[in-house]
Amino acid sequence: MPYIKAHYHPFLFILITMCAMAELGLTAYLISVGNESRNWPSARYHSLLIFFEFNAVWTTLFGAAYMLWIVDGAVHFLASIASSIVWLAITSALWGAAAGMMHNTRTGGDCNWISSSSTSVNGVLPCDPPQELSVSSCRETLTVEAVGWVLFGLCVLTLVATCMWVRTSKRGYVSAGYKPGM
């Protein structure tokens, strides 16, 4: 099992960190555009974007730190497997809550939750089909939710894999003082 530990853990943390960076950029862009145009479909949507932004910053910082600690081979408390499990559990809960709330706020794949009476951004209503060089706000919102679900899944996968690794490595451990049959 040491082979598995040495190889899957850094890659899962790299995936988590990279997805969080993508979410960070997208939510920062959506918040910036919304603040400039003062065009928010609802106060809940604006709050959810800020929550996604917090989750993305949290995940990027700690994911990168864990990734560096794993590669560096650090042995302090914050780099321990126990703290990794706690962080993954908290992060999974945050991403699951955010993606679930966005799904309930959005209510459908066709973005019909954005009122058609809202003002336009650069002459394009948020629910209009994508124009030649612009991307629909609806599609961006769907992407925010999708990346949130991906991050939730990656965190849960990493959490389960870490717990399974701990469980299997404890089974294989035999104390030097233990002698079978005595």
Side-chain angles (χ1 to χ4, degrees):
M1 277 303 182
Y3 175 80
I4 293 173
K5 177 194 177 223
H7 289 88
Y8 81 82
H9 218 246
F11 291 120
L12 288 174
F13 273 99
I14 287 171
L15 279 171
I16 290 169
T17 304
M18 298 301 282
C19 286
M21 287 179 184
E23 187 81 321
L24 179 67
L26 180 58
T27 54
Y29 169 75
L30 289 174
I31 290 169
S32 174
V33 167
N35 285 340
E36 285 177 11
S37 66
R38 300 184 198 285
N39 179 27
W40 297 108
S42 69
R44 180 179 170 123
Y45 175 73
H46 183 232
S47 298
L48 274 173
L49 282 180
I50 292 170
F51 185 43
F52 270 90
E53 185 78 7
F54 168 79
N55 289 349
V57 169
W58 162 274
T59 306
T60 300
L61 290 176
F62 283 99
Y66 276 112
M67 189 176 58
L68 292 174
W69 289 332
I70 290 168
V71 170
D72 186 39
V75 287
H76 53 82
F77 172 71
L78 290 176
S80 72
I81 291 179
S83 71
S84 172
I85 289 172
V86 169
W87 178 80
L88 284 166
I90 291 169
T91 304
S92 296
L94 287 172
W95 282 114
M101 285 188 288
M102 179 65 84
H103 183 74
N104 285 339
T105 299
R106 196 179 47 71
T107 64
D110 60 356
C111 296
N112 61 0
W113 59 275
I114 300 176
S115 68
S116 59
S117 62
S118 61
T119 59
S120 63
V121 178
N122 297 331
V124 179
L125 286 174
C127 287
D128 282 348
Q131 302 299 315
E132 203 170 313
L133 295 175
S134 74
V135 178
S136 162
S137 295
C138 292
R139 305 253 172 158
E140 291 165 351
T141 301
L142 288 172
T143 304
V144 167
E145 182 188 347
V147 175
W149 284 118
V150 167
L151 279 159
F152 171 70
L154 282 172
C155 288
V156 169
L157 174 68
T158 307
L159 178 63
V160 168
T162 303
C163 290
M164 293 302 290
W165 175 79
V166 168
R167 185 172 180 225
T168 57
S169 64
K170 285 190 182 221
R171 272 192 203 161
Y173 176 75
V174 177
S175 174
Y178 175 73
K179 293 187 172 104
M182 293 190 122

